[in-house]
Amino acid sequence: MIRKTKAEITKCILHKVANKFNSGQNVFSEDLIRFDQESYDLMKGFLLKPFGNLTQSYRFTKHEDVRLNEVNKFASEIFSDEESFVEYSKSIVNHLFEQSNSAQIKTGDVLVVYIEGIEYKDVLTEAIGIFKIENKVDFFQTYLDDNESFDVVVQKGISTKRIDKGCLVLNTSDEEGTVVFSVDNNNYDAQYWVKNFLSVKLADDYNSHTQNYLEMCKEFSEEVIQPELGMHEKGNFLASTVDYFKENEAVDYATFKDEVFEDEKHKEKFDEYKNHFEKLNDVLIRNNFDVSGVVLKKEKNKLKTEIKLDTNINIKLDVDAPEAASEYLERGYDEEKKMKFYKVYFNEEK
């Protein structure tokens, strides 16, 4: 997690990135943006706010040599020589352009900024910020017309509510490499920003261990539990998983299986799926690790435990209540109607 109370944007430039798939052309600025105080304060808050509560960080990766990672290389050059900022900001945009290999990759504005006074682990450092604005909003602009009357016109601009994509490359590193934070609020292509452009992986810490394990459980529920046992048991499995993480400060793989699975067959399938998940995603699922409460809260919101029926009725199960589905929800078959059914028990409607 970073602190930004002492952070100051000392350089900022805006470029336009096109889409290579559609034969577009990038457009570059030559000069830095000069802010007045009001626009500076608004821009600073807009760009840095998304990173205030991030606990998960990334590290650059490249199979041959991490120094060949493009964003890492450009950021390092800027940190070494601030006068190269404009030149390498263009290189960053060109690299981003090279990743637009499909029509769905959006064009947009790219802000590259140099930030001083970012605090990370009680040390002040510098950062290179890269932000892509993909969506603009309509707003009314009022003006005085030739008849000395006020009128309005619709214009498009950047919303200050949230950025679409952004990252901070810190001028600091640990045993895993340079520290990077990233956000992506328009995750239409999961590979484009984090994997293709930044080419980063989650740091090997309890945050990533928690996320990888929960993602594995989520996919196991979708690919194994649901096809074999149905949505009801999928919901039970996910609820039990969340319950285990909430009740334990650390995860033990063997204990987890004993508490979540009753059938030895499903324990074996979970072992097989763990191996499959590790190979498919190039990650290592730890057998023992501390639980990250922040990551658990975030990942829990992604777990879908809703039973959608073809009669336009949906039953939403609470992932925080693992016993509710088994105690108060029954599944059966009506011979007269020749239809399956769910029976739900309750005391009163809320």
Side-chain angles (χ1 to χ4, degrees):
M1 185 180 295
I2 64 169
R3 294 181 180 177
K4 47 192 174 56
T5 52
K6 298 180 181 179
E8 296 292 338
I9 296 175
T10 58
K11 292 181 175 63
C12 179
I13 195 166
L14 174 66
H15 305 298
K16 301 275 188 179
V17 65
N19 185 306
K20 182 176 69 172
F21 185 86
N22 296 326
S23 302
Q25 297 290 324
N26 297 332
V27 181
F28 297 106
S29 299
E30 298 299 330
D31 298 319
L32 301 178
I33 295 176
R34 297 178 180 178
F35 295 104
D36 58 34
Q37 192 60 47
E38 183 179 8
S39 60
Y40 171 82
D41 291 341
L42 190 62
M43 181 64 76
K44 177 183 169 182
F46 169 59
L47 297 182
L48 295 184
K49 182 180 178 180
F51 299 94
N53 296 320
L54 287 185
T55 57
Q56 292 175 276
S57 61
Y58 294 84
R59 301 296 182 270
F60 287 116
T61 179
K62 200 79 174 182
H63 290 301
E64 320 89 79
D65 187 340
V66 73
R67 291 172 298 181
L68 299 178
N69 179 293
E70 287 83 354
V71 178
N72 187 27
K73 179 172 62 177
F74 301 146
S76 297
E77 293 290 349
I78 295 173
F79 288 136
S80 299
D81 179 13
E82 283 190 50
E83 296 303 315
S84 67
F85 176 80
V86 174
E87 172 192 352
Y88 283 107
S89 72
K90 296 177 183 178
S91 299
I92 289 170
V93 172
N94 282 330
H95 174 56
L96 181 61
F97 173 79
E98 290 300 320
Q99 313 315 312
S100 55
N101 294 315
S102 70
Q104 70 177 356
I105 304 299
K106 298 178 181 178
T107 62
D109 298 334
V110 178
L111 285 160
V112 183
V113 301
Y114 191 92
I115 306 167
E116 297 180 1
I118 288 285
E119 186 176 343
Y120 176 70
K121 293 188 175 180
D122 300 322
V123 175
L124 290 179
T125 187
E126 303 79 38
I128 304 298
I130 306 166
F131 305 90
K132 185 185 178 190
I133 313 300
E134 298 178 326
N135 297 314
K136 294 189 177 181
V137 298
D138 293 331
F139 66 92
F140 289 111
Q141 178 65 55
T142 61
Y143 68 97
L144 195 63
D145 64 19
D146 295 336
N147 296 322
E148 298 299 315
S149 296
F150 284 103
D151 206 341
V152 295
V153 62
V154 176
Q155 296 182 338
K156 286 188 176 293
I158 299 172
S159 170
T160 59
K161 291 184 178 180
R162 70 174 191 175
I163 61 173
D164 293 315
K165 289 175 167 58
C167 71
L168 293 179
V169 181
L170 273 56
N171 189 18
T172 188
S173 60
D174 54 22
E175 63 276 4
E176 291 187 74
T178 302
V179 178
V180 181
F181 289 91
S182 177
V183 293
D184 186 352
N185 288 315
N186 286 347
N187 198 12
Y188 53 83
D189 186 336
Q191 307 297 313
Y192 166 61
W193 183 256
V194 168
K195 185 174 181 180
N196 296 344
F197 172 58
L198 294 176
S199 190
V200 291
K201 62 180 180 180
L202 284 169
D204 187 23
D205 59 17
Y206 75 117
N207 292 302
S208 63
H209 302 159
T210 302
Q211 177 168 325
N212 289 335
Y213 201 99
L214 289 173
E215 285 183 351
M216 177 184 70
C217 290
K218 175 178 177 290
E219 294 188 17
F220 178 77
S221 74
E222 294 172 350
E223 297 181 17
V224 179
I225 299 291
Q226 182 178 340
E228 182 178 330
L229 302 174
M231 279 295 299
H232 188 187
E233 289 303 319
K234 173 190 173 183
N236 285 340
F237 168 74
L238 291 176
S240 298
T241 297
V242 170
D243 197 47
Y244 178 90
F245 272 72
K246 287 168 61 178
E247 293 185 354
N248 294 275
E249 294 182 355
V251 169
D252 177 80
Y253 182 72
T255 305
F256 173 84
K257 288 193 299 179
D258 288 338
E259 291 195 15
V260 172
F261 300 108
E262 295 182 1
D263 194 327
E264 288 295 326
K265 179 181 68 173
H266 289 117
K267 293 181 184 180
E268 294 174 3
K269 287 190 174 183
F270 193 66
D271 289 335
E272 294 173 1
Y273 193 83
K274 176 176 177 288
N275 294 330
H276 165 74
F277 185 87
E278 288 176 327
K279 293 177 182 177
L280 183 65
N281 296 280
D282 192 25
V283 298
L284 175 64
I285 300 297
R286 302 286 181 177
N287 289 332
N288 301 90
F289 59 89
D290 293 333
V291 172
S292 168
V294 174
V295 174
L296 173 62
K297 182 178 179 181
K298 183 185 76 172
E299 293 299 311
K300 183 181 70 175
N301 295 331
K302 298 179 183 178
L303 301 179
K304 296 181 180 179
T305 55
E306 189 175 23
I307 302 175
K308 295 184 177 181
L309 307 177
D310 57 5
T311 50
N312 297 320
I313 295 175
N314 298 336
I315 303 173
K316 188 174 182 180
L317 306 177
D318 190 346
V319 76
D320 284 321
E323 304 300 328
S326 57
E327 289 185 18
Y328 306 121
L329 190 66
E330 291 183 8
R331 191 173 188 268
Y333 185 81
D334 188 298
E335 292 289 348
E336 185 177 336
K337 291 188 175 182
K338 304 300 181 184
M339 295 176 70
K340 301 170 186 175
F341 68 82
Y342 279 105
K343 183 188 291 186
V344 182
Y345 295 92
F346 65 97
N347 292 313
E348 59 184 32
E349 296 182 6
K350 291 185 177 182

